[in-house]
Amino acid sequence: MEDDGGRRASDGRRDGVEQAFQVDLRGVVDLLSRHLYSSPRVYLRELLQNAVDAITARGGGGGAVRIETGGGRLRVHDDGVGLTEDEVHRLLATIGRSSKRDELGFARHDFLGQFGIGLLSAFLVADEIEVETRSAAVPDAAPVRWTGLADGRYRVEPGERDEPGTTVTLRPRPGTADLLEPAVVAELAHTYGSLLPVPVTVDGVQITGDGPPWLAPHPDPARRRRALDAYCRDLFGFEPYDVIDLEAPEAGLTGVAFVLPHAVAPTARGAHRVYLKRMLLAENVEGLLPDWAFFVRCVVDAGELRPTASREALYEDELLESARQALGERLRQWLVRLAETDPARLRGFLRLHHLGVKAMALHDDEMLRIVDRWLEFETSAGPMTLAEFRRRHPQGRFASTVEEFRRLSAVAGAQGVGLVNAGYVHDTEIIRRLPDIDPDAVLRPLDPAELTTRFGVLDPAAELALRPFLAAAQRALDPLGCEVVIRDFDPASLPALYLTSRSAQHRQEMEQARELADDLWADVLGALDDAVAADRPQLVLNYRNPLTRRITALAADAPSPSGDAARTGDELVGLAVQGLYGQALLLGQHPLRPVDTAVLNRSFLGLLEWAVHRPRAAEEPRPGGGE
C-alpha cells in the first residue's frame, strides 16, 4: 500500500487525487543559505526578532532577552507570550502559510519578524533546534518542548519550563562552531540589537543602550552635535562635514544623515544603515535616498517600511518612494537654510559635492537659485558664479564642451566676449534652465563664427596688397574645404585660428558619413548635403602676429629649393599656410581627417626642405680644394 501510495502520488493527475507537496527541509535550508540570506550570521538576528516579537505579543511592558553561550551550545531566553502545544504544531512545523501568524495574533505591524522561516535560519548553523516554551495567554498551559531536525523531522514532548516564555537552544553543526563562540555572539547581538527597546544581555552583559542616539536628550545643540559626530566616527570612520536630521512620518522614520567630508563619484551607490523597529535590517541598504544624494550616509529607524523576504533590504513600494522623496526634501531644505545662514559653509560644501547639487538643480528651482548664486563656474574671466558672470557680461556665451572652451576662451576673452565652460556634467542643462527662475538670465551658446565679426579688419590698402598672397593661400586650402581670411585680433601670440560654425561642422560630418556609406546611402546623404547652405570652416590668419605677417610678405618669385623657376614662392606660401592650418587644428584639439594628417606631414617636410636648402654659391669648398 505504501508503494502504491507513492505511485499514486507520482501520477495523481491521472487518478484525479490531490497530493500534498513533500518538502525537503535540507533543500529549503540550502536555498535559504545560497539565495535568501547573504550570510549565516543572520541566524542570531532571526532569533532576536522572534524573542522581541514574543515579548511584544505578551504586552504589559517589561520583558527581556537573555543570551547564554558556552558548553558547546547557544541558548536564547525570552519572557514573552510563549506557545501552547497546538500553537507549536501550527507555528513551528509549518512553512510558508502566512495565515498562521494572523490566527495567533502575530500579524500586527509592530512585530519585527516571522516565526517559521525566521526560525529555519537557525538551521544555517545547527542540525538541531530545541524550543522549550510555555504560554502566558492560556492559564495553566503546560510547558512544551519542540525539537526540529535539519532532515525534516520534529518531535513534540512535555517541557520543564516553570514560567511563561520561550528558550531556543542550538548546538553547532561541524564547521559552524565559530559562529556560536561567545565573542562572535556578543558582536552579532550588538550589531543587530543594540537599539532594541527590550533589554538584551549576552552572558550577563547588557548590549542594548538608550535607543537611537539621534533621539537621545542633550543639554544643548552643541553637545548633541559632538555626540553625533562621535557616533559617526565610530560607525562610518569619518568626521562628518555636517549632520542633518531626517524624518518621514508616513513611514514612521527618524534618523540622521552625515554629510561626507570628501568628494565622492556621483556613480557611487549610497549604502545606509537601516533599522526596522529598532532591529538592524542591514548596514548597506541602497535606494533609501534619491540618486543625487550620494554625498551623505544615513542611519535611520523606520516603523512602517517593509523588508524583503531576506530582511536585508527594503521592499520597493509606494511607501518607500514617498519616504525617499521626503528625505530628499529634508536634504534640500538643509541646503537652502545653509545658503541663508552660513554662505561660507555652503561654498565649502559645494566645492566638495557640487555634482549632487547640480543634479538637484535640474528639477528644483530653489536648488537652481543656489547654483546660480553660489556655485562657481569656469569662465574666460576666471572662476565666478553664473549670477556674477551675467552681471559682468550681459551678452555672455557658453561653450557646450570643455574642448571648445579651452580652444576659444582666450580669443573670446580678448575680444570682450565672456565665455562660460558648460562642458561638465549638467552644466549646459543648468544654464538653459536659468530663465525658469529669471527671464532675463539668458546665456546663448557660442557659435565660433561669431568671433570673426569682432576681429579687426585690415585697412583697404593693406588688404589690396595681400590679394596675391590670399589667392595662393586659398589655392593651398581649397582641397581641404577651408576658407582663408586675414584679420587683426588678440592675443597676438596666436598666428592662426581655425573656426567652424555649427552649420559648417554639420556639413563636414555629413561629408565624412557620405564617404563611409554605401552607394545608396551616399546618394541620400549627397542630396541632404546639397540642401545645406554652403558654409565652410575658416582659417583666420592673425595679422597682428609677427610670424603670420612675415608669411604674408613672402615674394611670389622667391627661389625654390630645386632651383626650378616654375616652382616659385607660390609653393612656399602654400606650405606655410598649410603648416598654419595643421597647427591651428592641433592647438584647437580638432579631430584630424586623413587628408589633414597628410597635409600636415607634407607641409612639415616641405618647410624643412626649404629651411635646410643653401644655394651652391654659398656652399663651402669641399676638402681637397674641389668645388
Side-chain angles (χ1 to χ4, degrees):
M1 289 296 293
E2 185 175 349
D3 292 342
D4 182 61
R7 286 194 296 275
R8 285 177 181 273
S10 65
D11 61 359
R13 182 174 59 180
R14 183 191 63 195
D15 300 347
V17 178
E18 290 187 356
Q19 303 290 335
F21 283 105
Q22 301 301 309
V23 177
D24 179 2
L25 190 57
R26 286 190 182 275
V28 172
V29 172
D30 182 67
L31 182 67
L32 296 179
S33 64
R34 292 179 183 273
H35 301 289
L36 187 63
Y37 296 119
S38 61
S39 165
R41 293 163 61 93
V42 301
Y43 83 92
L44 192 65
R45 181 194 65 191
E46 301 297 326
L47 295 180
L48 277 175
Q49 286 179 338
N50 285 342
V52 174
D53 278 351
I55 293 171
T56 303
R58 184 169 184 176
V65 179
R66 294 183 295 110
I67 301 175
E68 296 177 351
T69 64
R73 64 183 182 180
L74 173 75
R75 307 186 74 190
V76 180
H77 308 274
D78 71 70
D79 49 4
V81 68
L83 302 172
T84 64
E85 181 176 349
D86 181 60
E87 290 169 347
V88 163
H89 283 283
R90 284 188 288 156
L91 193 60
L92 299 185
T94 306
I95 301 173
R97 194 175 74 202
S98 61
S99 62
K100 64 186 180 182
R101 289 177 54 84
D102 300 343
E103 296 168 4
L104 300 176
F106 281 85
R108 298 200 312 273
H109 78 281
D110 50 347
F111 292 99
L112 298 171
Q114 302 175 30
F115 286 113
I117 282 222
L119 187 62
L120 283 180
S121 66
F123 282 124
L124 299 175
V125 297
D127 285 327
E128 179 180 300
I129 303 173
E130 180 184 286
V131 178
E132 186 151 354
T133 183
R134 184 168 189 164
S135 176
V138 179
D140 302 323
V144 181
R145 180 183 297 115
W146 176 91
T147 304
L149 306 176
D151 60 8
R153 295 176 293 120
Y154 76 90
R155 63 178 179 270
V156 178
E157 54 193 339
E160 300 177 355
R161 188 180 179 95
D162 296 329
E163 299 295 329
T166 301
T167 296
V168 179
T169 303
L170 306 181
R171 292 176 177 81
R173 66 161 58 142
T176 65
D178 59 320
L179 292 174
L180 274 70
E181 289 290 330
V184 175
V185 171
E187 178 213 339
L188 293 177
H190 185 272
T191 298
Y192 288 115
S194 61
L195 299 188
L196 286 171
V198 174
V200 178
T201 59
V202 177
D203 294 330
V205 178
Q206 184 161 327
I207 60 98
T208 49
D210 298 324
W214 57 90
L215 298 180
H218 293 278
D220 54 69
R223 295 189 189 183
R224 180 178 186 268
R225 173 61 189 272
R226 287 196 295 271
L228 290 177
D229 284 352
Y231 179 62
C232 179
R233 287 194 300 271
D234 293 342
L235 208 58
F236 295 120
F238 64 82
E239 185 84 18
Y241 186 83
D242 208 345
V243 180
I244 308 167
D245 284 302
L246 301 177
E247 186 178 14
E250 68 278 12
L253 183 148
T254 64
V256 284
F258 298 109
V259 181
L260 293 168
H262 51 78
V264 291
T267 54
R269 300 294 295 176
H272 309 290
R273 192 179 184 94
V274 175
Y275 293 82
L276 293 184
K277 305 178 182 71
R278 306 284 186 90
M279 174 69 77
L280 179 68
L281 178 73
E283 297 175 289
N284 56 348
V285 174
E286 297 181 357
L288 179 67
L289 297 180
D291 290 339
W292 51 259
F294 55 83
F295 51 84
V296 296
R297 294 292 178 266
C298 299
V299 185
V300 302
D301 176 54
E304 304 295 334
L305 296 180
R306 296 168 55 195
T308 58
S310 67
R311 292 196 287 282
E312 296 180 345
L314 292 171
Y315 185 79
E316 190 70 42
D317 57 12
E318 292 183 0
L319 183 58
L320 177 57
E321 176 60 26
S322 175
R324 185 183 297 127
Q325 293 179 5
L327 298 182
E329 178 62 18
R330 283 277 178 168
L331 298 181
R332 190 191 72 85
Q333 291 174 357
W334 169 76
L335 282 170
V336 173
R337 186 170 60 253
L338 208 60
E340 296 172 348
T341 61
D342 197 345
R345 191 163 182 78
L346 175 65
R347 290 191 188 95
F349 168 80
L350 291 176
R351 283 192 292 270
L352 291 173
H353 303 298
H354 57 278
L355 287 177
V357 179
K358 286 180 182 179
M360 282 190 284
L362 295 181
H363 52 79
D364 186 282
D365 288 349
E366 197 63 44
M367 289 299 101
L368 184 60
R369 291 187 179 91
I370 288 178
V371 168
D372 182 39
R373 184 180 175 188
W374 299 107
L375 184 61
E376 290 186 340
F377 283 67
E378 187 178 8
T379 79
S380 55
M384 67 180 68
T385 66
L386 292 177
E388 175 66 14
F389 176 81
R390 293 198 310 278
R391 189 183 66 80
R392 294 190 187 185
H393 303 280
Q395 302 299 320
R397 300 287 189 269
F398 69 87
S400 56
T401 67
V402 175
E403 293 75 15
E404 184 180 46
F405 175 81
R406 291 174 179 169
R407 182 167 67 243
L408 300 176
S409 60
V411 176
Q415 315 315 312
V417 178
L419 190 63
V420 177
N421 183 1
Y424 295 110
V425 178
H426 305 315
D427 286 359
T428 297
E429 296 92 332
I430 285 173
I431 289 175
R432 294 188 188 278
R433 275 206 69 220
L434 287 176
D436 293 346
I437 59 173
D438 181 0
D440 296 327
V442 178
L443 292 175
R444 294 195 292 113
L446 176 71
D447 189 333
E450 289 182 57
L451 293 177
T452 58
T453 64
R454 294 177 176 265
F455 293 162
V457 296
L458 278 61
D459 63 80
E463 194 165 354
L464 182 63
L466 290 175
R467 279 187 179 179
F469 167 81
L470 281 174
Q474 191 59 60
R475 285 193 295 272
L477 294 191
D478 267 338
L480 303 174
C482 185
E483 181 183 355
V484 182
V485 297
I486 298 182
R487 295 290 186 268
D488 189 306
F489 60 90
D490 286 322
S493 59
L494 187 67
L497 181 65
Y498 180 83
L499 294 177
T500 177
S501 65
R502 306 291 179 191
S503 59
Q505 187 174 3
H506 173 70
R507 185 183 182 91
Q508 195 173 59
E509 291 171 354
M510 188 83 74
E511 291 175 353
Q512 292 174 358
R514 186 178 177 182
E515 293 174 0
L516 298 175
D518 56 30
D519 292 342
L520 176 60
W521 280 108
D523 291 341
V524 173
L525 293 173
L528 294 174
D529 192 24
D530 293 340
V532 177
D535 189 3
R536 300 200 298 176
Q538 292 181 335
L539 180 67
V540 185
L541 302 179
N542 187 3
Y543 198 66
R544 193 167 298 185
N545 179 268
L547 174 62
T548 300
R549 192 177 300 120
R550 285 199 297 271
I551 291 174
T552 62
L554 289 173
D557 58 352
S560 69
S562 62
D564 186 352
R567 298 178 63 191
T568 66
D570 190 39
E571 180 184 10
L572 179 57
V573 168
L575 291 174
V577 171
Q578 288 176 350
L580 290 178
Y581 170 83
Q583 189 261 359
L585 288 179
L586 294 174
L587 187 64
Q589 299 181 347
H590 295 280
L592 293 180
R593 301 169 296 171
V595 65
D596 297 328
T597 303
V599 165
L600 186 61
N601 291 334
R602 185 168 61 249
S603 65
F604 171 76
L605 294 175
L607 291 172
L608 190 61
E609 183 182 0
W610 281 89
V612 300
H613 167 71
R614 290 193 241 177
R616 283 187 177 272
E619 289 182 357
E620 298 178 1
R622 295 179 182 176
E627 289 187 358

mmCIF file with all atom_site columns, all heavy atoms in Angstrom, residues 417-433:
data_model
loop_
_atom_site.group_PDB
_atom_site.id
_atom_site.type_symbol
_atom_site.label_atom_id
_atom_site.label_alt_id
_atom_site.label_comp_id
_atom_site.label_asym_id
_atom_site.label_entity_id
_atom_site.label_seq_id
_atom_site.pdbx_PDB_ins_code
_atom_site.Cartn_x
_atom_site.Cartn_y
_atom_site.Cartn_z
_atom_site.occupancy
_atom_site.B_iso_or_equiv
_atom_site.pdbx_formal_charge
_atom_site.auth_seq_id
_atom_site.auth_comp_id
_atom_site.auth_asym_id
_atom_site.auth_atom_id
_atom_site.pdbx_PDB_model_num
ATOM 1   N N   . VAL A 1 417 ? 34.292 89.061 -25.280 1.00 0.00 ? 417 VAL A N   1
ATOM 2   C CA  . VAL A 1 417 ? 33.145 88.143 -25.253 1.00 0.00 ? 417 VAL A CA  1
ATOM 3   C C   . VAL A 1 417 ? 33.313 87.213 -24.056 1.00 0.00 ? 417 VAL A C   1
ATOM 4   O O   . VAL A 1 417 ? 34.236 86.398 -24.015 1.00 0.00 ? 417 VAL A O   1
ATOM 5   C CB  . VAL A 1 417 ? 33.040 87.326 -26.552 1.00 0.00 ? 417 VAL A CB  1
ATOM 6   C CG1 . VAL A 1 417 ? 31.872 86.341 -26.474 1.00 0.00 ? 417 VAL A CG1 1
ATOM 7   C CG2 . VAL A 1 417 ? 32.894 88.243 -27.744 1.00 0.00 ? 417 VAL A CG2 1
ATOM 8   N N   . GLY A 1 418 ? 32.448 87.353 -23.049 1.00 0.00 ? 418 GLY A N   1
ATOM 9   C CA  . GLY A 1 418 ? 32.511 86.473 -21.898 1.00 0.00 ? 418 GLY A CA  1
ATOM 10  C C   . GLY A 1 418 ? 32.058 85.074 -22.267 1.00 0.00 ? 418 GLY A C   1
ATOM 11  O O   . GLY A 1 418 ? 31.045 84.885 -22.944 1.00 0.00 ? 418 GLY A O   1
ATOM 12  N N   . LEU A 1 419 ? 32.804 84.047 -21.810 1.00 0.00 ? 419 LEU A N   1
ATOM 13  C CA  . LEU A 1 419 ? 32.507 82.659 -22.174 1.00 0.00 ? 419 LEU A CA  1
ATOM 14  C C   . LEU A 1 419 ? 32.517 81.787 -20.927 1.00 0.00 ? 419 LEU A C   1
ATOM 15  O O   . LEU A 1 419 ? 33.453 81.854 -20.121 1.00 0.00 ? 419 LEU A O   1
ATOM 16  C CB  . LEU A 1 419 ? 33.541 82.152 -23.181 1.00 0.00 ? 419 LEU A CB  1
ATOM 17  C CG  . LEU A 1 419 ? 33.260 80.811 -23.843 1.00 0.00 ? 419 LEU A CG  1
ATOM 18  C CD1 . LEU A 1 419 ? 31.991 80.875 -24.687 1.00 0.00 ? 419 LEU A CD1 1
ATOM 19  C CD2 . LEU A 1 419 ? 34.447 80.380 -24.712 1.00 0.00 ? 419 LEU A CD2 1
ATOM 20  N N   . VAL A 1 420 ? 31.463 81.000 -20.757 1.00 0.00 ? 420 VAL A N   1
ATOM 21  C CA  . VAL A 1 420 ? 31.355 80.063 -19.641 1.00 0.00 ? 420 VAL A CA  1
ATOM 22  C C   . VAL A 1 420 ? 31.626 78.655 -20.147 1.00 0.00 ? 420 VAL A C   1
ATOM 23  O O   . VAL A 1 420 ? 31.146 78.269 -21.215 1.00 0.00 ? 420 VAL A O   1
ATOM 24  C CB  . VAL A 1 420 ? 29.944 80.110 -19.003 1.00 0.00 ? 420 VAL A CB  1
ATOM 25  C CG1 . VAL A 1 420 ? 29.818 79.072 -17.888 1.00 0.00 ? 420 VAL A CG1 1
ATOM 26  C CG2 . VAL A 1 420 ? 29.656 81.486 -18.456 1.00 0.00 ? 420 VAL A CG2 1
ATOM 27  N N   . ASN A 1 421 ? 32.374 77.901 -19.364 1.00 0.00 ? 421 ASN A N   1
ATOM 28  C CA  . ASN A 1 421 ? 32.603 76.498 -19.692 1.00 0.00 ? 421 ASN A CA  1
ATOM 29  C C   . ASN A 1 421 ? 31.413 75.683 -19.183 1.00 0.00 ? 421 ASN A C   1
ATOM 30  O O   . ASN A 1 421 ? 31.246 75.482 -17.987 1.00 0.00 ? 421 ASN A O   1
ATOM 31  C CB  . ASN A 1 421 ? 33.898 76.005 -19.042 1.00 0.00 ? 421 ASN A CB  1
ATOM 32  C CG  . ASN A 1 421 ? 34.225 74.563 -19.419 1.00 0.00 ? 421 ASN A CG  1
ATOM 33  O OD1 . ASN A 1 421 ? 33.486 73.930 -20.184 1.00 0.00 ? 421 ASN A OD1 1
ATOM 34  N ND2 . ASN A 1 421 ? 35.323 74.057 -18.906 1.00 0.00 ? 421 ASN A ND2 1
ATOM 35  N N   . ALA A 1 422 ? 30.576 75.224 -20.106 1.00 0.00 ? 422 ALA A N   1
ATOM 36  C CA  . ALA A 1 422 ? 29.411 74.408 -19.748 1.00 0.00 ? 422 ALA A CA  1
ATOM 37  C C   . ALA A 1 422 ? 29.602 72.977 -20.225 1.00 0.00 ? 422 ALA A C   1
ATOM 38  O O   . ALA A 1 422 ? 28.635 72.280 -20.532 1.00 0.00 ? 422 ALA A O   1
ATOM 39  C CB  . ALA A 1 422 ? 28.143 75.003 -20.354 1.00 0.00 ? 422 ALA A CB  1
ATOM 40  N N   . GLY A 1 423 ? 30.851 72.533 -20.263 1.00 0.00 ? 423 GLY A N   1
ATOM 41  C CA  . GLY A 1 423 ? 31.133 71.202 -20.783 1.00 0.00 ? 423 GLY A CA  1
ATOM 42  C C   . GLY A 1 423 ? 31.115 70.106 -19.745 1.00 0.00 ? 423 GLY A C   1
ATOM 43  O O   . GLY A 1 423 ? 31.231 68.930 -20.088 1.00 0.00 ? 423 GLY A O   1
ATOM 44  N N   . TYR A 1 424 ? 30.966 70.459 -18.466 1.00 0.00 ? 424 TYR A N   1
ATOM 45  C CA  . TYR A 1 424 ? 30.942 69.433 -17.427 1.00 0.00 ? 424 TYR A CA  1
ATOM 46  C C   . TYR A 1 424 ? 29.513 68.950 -17.192 1.00 0.00 ? 424 TYR A C   1
ATOM 47  O O   . TYR A 1 424 ? 28.543 69.505 -17.723 1.00 0.00 ? 424 TYR A O   1
ATOM 48  C CB  . TYR A 1 424 ? 31.566 69.980 -16.138 1.00 0.00 ? 424 TYR A CB  1
ATOM 49  C CG  . TYR A 1 424 ? 33.033 70.310 -16.278 1.00 0.00 ? 424 TYR A CG  1
ATOM 50  C CD1 . TYR A 1 424 ? 33.480 71.635 -16.271 1.00 0.00 ? 424 TYR A CD1 1
ATOM 51  C CD2 . TYR A 1 424 ? 33.980 69.311 -16.448 1.00 0.00 ? 424 TYR A CD2 1
ATOM 52  C CE1 . TYR A 1 424 ? 34.828 71.943 -16.412 1.00 0.00 ? 424 TYR A CE1 1
ATOM 53  C CE2 . TYR A 1 424 ? 35.334 69.611 -16.591 1.00 0.00 ? 424 TYR A CE2 1
ATOM 54  C CZ  . TYR A 1 424 ? 35.745 70.926 -16.572 1.00 0.00 ? 424 TYR A CZ  1
ATOM 55  O OH  . TYR A 1 424 ? 37.077 71.214 -16.719 1.00 0.00 ? 424 TYR A OH  1
ATOM 56  N N   . VAL A 1 425 ? 29.411 67.910 -16.361 1.00 0.00 ? 425 VAL A N   1
ATOM 57  C CA  . VAL A 1 425 ? 28.125 67.244 -16.148 1.00 0.00 ? 425 VAL A CA  1
ATOM 58  C C   . VAL A 1 425 ? 27.066 68.236 -15.672 1.00 0.00 ? 425 VAL A C   1
ATOM 59  O O   . VAL A 1 425 ? 27.292 68.993 -14.719 1.00 0.00 ? 425 VAL A O   1
ATOM 60  C CB  . VAL A 1 425 ? 28.283 66.112 -15.112 1.00 0.00 ? 425 VAL A CB  1
ATOM 61  C CG1 . VAL A 1 425 ? 26.941 65.430 -14.843 1.00 0.00 ? 425 VAL A CG1 1
ATOM 62  C CG2 . VAL A 1 425 ? 29.289 65.080 -15.607 1.00 0.00 ? 425 VAL A CG2 1
ATOM 63  N N   . HIS A 1 426 ? 25.926 68.253 -16.344 1.00 0.00 ? 426 HIS A N   1
ATOM 64  C CA  . HIS A 1 426 ? 24.732 69.041 -16.010 1.00 0.00 ? 426 HIS A CA  1
ATOM 65  C C   . HIS A 1 426 ? 24.859 70.538 -16.322 1.00 0.00 ? 426 HIS A C   1
ATOM 66  O O   . HIS A 1 426 ? 23.861 71.260 -16.225 1.00 0.00 ? 426 HIS A O   1
ATOM 67  C CB  . HIS A 1 426 ? 24.329 68.895 -14.536 1.00 0.00 ? 426 HIS A CB  1
ATOM 68  C CG  . HIS A 1 426 ? 24.127 67.488 -14.084 1.00 0.00 ? 426 HIS A CG  1
ATOM 69  N ND1 . HIS A 1 426 ? 23.424 66.563 -14.836 1.00 0.00 ? 426 HIS A ND1 1
ATOM 70  C CD2 . HIS A 1 426 ? 24.498 66.838 -12.945 1.00 0.00 ? 426 HIS A CD2 1
ATOM 71  C CE1 . HIS A 1 426 ? 23.394 65.413 -14.178 1.00 0.00 ? 426 HIS A CE1 1
ATOM 72  N NE2 . HIS A 1 426 ? 24.036 65.544 -13.040 1.00 0.00 ? 426 HIS A NE2 1
ATOM 73  N N   . ASP A 1 427 ? 26.059 71.043 -16.667 1.00 0.00 ? 427 ASP A N   1
ATOM 74  C CA  . ASP A 1 427 ? 26.235 72.499 -16.780 1.00 0.00 ? 427 ASP A CA  1
ATOM 75  C C   . ASP A 1 427 ? 25.367 73.101 -17.886 1.00 0.00 ? 427 ASP A C   1
ATOM 76  O O   . ASP A 1 427 ? 24.732 74.142 -17.690 1.00 0.00 ? 427 ASP A O   1
ATOM 77  C CB  . ASP A 1 427 ? 27.704 72.840 -17.025 1.00 0.00 ? 427 ASP A CB  1
ATOM 78  C CG  . ASP A 1 427 ? 28.547 72.664 -15.774 1.00 0.00 ? 427 ASP A CG  1
ATOM 79  O OD1 . ASP A 1 427 ? 27.974 72.293 -14.735 1.00 0.00 ? 427 ASP A OD1 1
ATOM 80  O OD2 . ASP A 1 427 ? 29.764 72.904 -15.832 1.00 0.00 ? 427 ASP A OD2 1
ATOM 81  N N   . THR A 1 428 ? 25.360 72.485 -19.048 1.00 0.00 ? 428 THR A N   1
ATOM 82  C CA  . THR A 1 428 ? 24.568 73.036 -20.155 1.00 0.00 ? 428 THR A CA  1
ATOM 83  C C   . THR A 1 428 ? 23.085 73.056 -19.802 1.00 0.00 ? 428 THR A C   1
ATOM 84  O O   . THR A 1 428 ? 22.382 74.047 -20.046 1.00 0.00 ? 428 THR A O   1
ATOM 85  C CB  . THR A 1 428 ? 24.795 72.217 -21.436 1.00 0.00 ? 428 THR A CB  1
ATOM 86  O OG1 . THR A 1 428 ? 26.180 72.328 -21.820 1.00 0.00 ? 428 THR A OG1 1
ATOM 87  C CG2 . THR A 1 428 ? 23.931 72.738 -22.575 1.00 0.00 ? 428 THR A CG2 1
ATOM 88  N N   . GLU A 1 429 ? 22.588 71.958 -19.196 1.00 0.00 ? 429 GLU A N   1
ATOM 89  C CA  . GLU A 1 429 ? 21.174 71.899 -18.818 1.00 0.00 ? 429 GLU A CA  1
ATOM 90  C C   . GLU A 1 429 ? 20.828 72.968 -17.782 1.00 0.00 ? 429 GLU A C   1
ATOM 91  O O   . GLU A 1 429 ? 19.760 73.585 -17.840 1.00 0.00 ? 429 GLU A O   1
ATOM 92  C CB  . GLU A 1 429 ? 20.819 70.511 -18.276 1.00 0.00 ? 429 GLU A CB  1
ATOM 93  C CG  . GLU A 1 429 ? 20.964 69.390 -19.294 1.00 0.00 ? 429 GLU A CG  1
ATOM 94  C CD  . GLU A 1 429 ? 22.333 68.760 -19.256 1.00 0.00 ? 429 GLU A CD  1
ATOM 95  O OE1 . GLU A 1 429 ? 23.298 69.463 -18.886 1.00 0.00 ? 429 GLU A OE1 1
ATOM 96  O OE2 . GLU A 1 429 ? 22.445 67.574 -19.623 1.00 0.00 ? 429 GLU A OE2 1
ATOM 97  N N   . ILE A 1 430 ? 21.746 73.192 -16.844 1.00 0.00 ? 430 ILE A N   1
ATOM 98  C CA  . ILE A 1 430 ? 21.509 74.216 -15.818 1.00 0.00 ? 430 ILE A CA  1
ATOM 99  C C   . ILE A 1 430 ? 21.437 75.604 -16.454 1.00 0.00 ? 430 ILE A C   1
ATOM 100 O O   . ILE A 1 430 ? 20.546 76.405 -16.139 1.00 0.00 ? 430 ILE A O   1
ATOM 101 C CB  . ILE A 1 430 ? 22.617 74.146 -14.752 1.00 0.00 ? 430 ILE A CB  1
ATOM 102 C CG1 . ILE A 1 430 ? 22.390 72.933 -13.847 1.00 0.00 ? 430 ILE A CG1 1
ATOM 103 C CG2 . ILE A 1 430 ? 22.655 75.425 -13.918 1.00 0.00 ? 430 ILE A CG2 1
ATOM 104 C CD1 . ILE A 1 430 ? 23.519 72.674 -12.880 1.00 0.00 ? 430 ILE A CD1 1
ATOM 105 N N   . ILE A 1 431 ? 22.353 75.917 -17.353 1.00 0.00 ? 431 ILE A N   1
ATOM 106 C CA  . ILE A 1 431 ? 22.354 77.232 -17.998 1.00 0.00 ? 431 ILE A CA  1
ATOM 107 C C   . ILE A 1 431 ? 21.084 77.430 -18.818 1.00 0.00 ? 431 ILE A C   1
ATOM 108 O O   . ILE A 1 431 ? 20.500 78.520 -18.834 1.00 0.00 ? 431 ILE A O   1
ATOM 109 C CB  . ILE A 1 431 ? 23.613 77.385 -18.873 1.00 0.00 ? 431 ILE A CB  1
ATOM 110 C CG1 . ILE A 1 431 ? 24.845 77.535 -17.968 1.00 0.00 ? 431 ILE A CG1 1
ATOM 111 C CG2 . ILE A 1 431 ? 23.494 78.576 -19.804 1.00 0.00 ? 431 ILE A CG2 1
ATOM 112 C CD1 . ILE A 1 431 ? 26.159 77.575 -18.707 1.00 0.00 ? 431 ILE A CD1 1
ATOM 113 N N   . ARG A 1 432 ? 20.639 76.388 -19.478 1.00 0.00 ? 432 ARG A N   1
ATOM 114 C CA  . ARG A 1 432 ? 19.409 76.506 -20.269 1.00 0.00 ? 432 ARG A CA  1
ATOM 115 C C   . ARG A 1 432 ? 18.181 76.668 -19.375 1.00 0.00 ? 432 ARG A C   1
ATOM 116 O O   . ARG A 1 432 ? 17.149 77.164 -19.815 1.00 0.00 ? 432 ARG A O   1
ATOM 117 C CB  . ARG A 1 432 ? 19.247 75.287 -21.173 1.00 0.00 ? 432 ARG A CB  1
ATOM 118 C CG  . ARG A 1 432 ? 20.318 75.175 -22.254 1.00 0.00 ? 432 ARG A CG  1
ATOM 119 C CD  . ARG A 1 432 ? 19.990 74.064 -23.225 1.00 0.00 ? 432 ARG A CD  1
ATOM 120 N NE  . ARG A 1 432 ? 21.071 73.811 -24.158 1.00 0.00 ? 432 ARG A NE  1
ATOM 121 C CZ  . ARG A 1 432 ? 21.297 74.513 -25.278 1.00 0.00 ? 432 ARG A CZ  1
ATOM 122 N NH1 . ARG A 1 432 ? 20.491 75.527 -25.565 1.00 0.00 ? 432 ARG A NH1 1
ATOM 123 N NH2 . ARG A 1 432 ? 22.295 74.213 -26.087 1.00 0.00 ? 432 ARG A NH2 1
ATOM 124 N N   . ARG A 1 433 ? 18.287 76.240 -18.111 1.00 0.00 ? 433 ARG A N   1
ATOM 125 C CA  . ARG A 1 433 ? 17.157 76.352 -17.189 1.00 0.00 ? 433 ARG A CA  1
ATOM 126 C C   . ARG A 1 433 ? 17.100 77.701 -16.476 1.00 0.00 ? 433 ARG A C   1
ATOM 127 O O   . ARG A 1 433 ? 16.103 78.005 -15.801 1.00 0.00 ? 433 ARG A O   1
ATOM 128 C CB  . ARG A 1 433 ? 17.242 75.257 -16.104 1.00 0.00 ? 433 ARG A CB  1
ATOM 129 C CG  . ARG A 1 433 ? 16.648 73.921 -16.496 1.00 0.00 ? 433 ARG A CG  1
ATOM 130 C CD  . ARG A 1 433 ? 16.194 73.168 -15.258 1.00 0.00 ? 433 ARG A CD  1
ATOM 131 N NE  . ARG A 1 433 ? 15.037 73.819 -14.656 1.00 0.00 ? 433 ARG A NE  1
ATOM 132 C CZ  . ARG A 1 433 ? 14.836 73.963 -13.344 1.00 0.00 ? 433 ARG A CZ  1
ATOM 133 N NH1 . ARG A 1 433 ? 15.729 73.551 -12.486 1.00 0.00 ? 433 ARG A NH1 1
ATOM 134 N NH2 . ARG A 1 433 ? 13.759 74.563 -12.884 1.00 0.00 ? 433 ARG A NH2 1
#
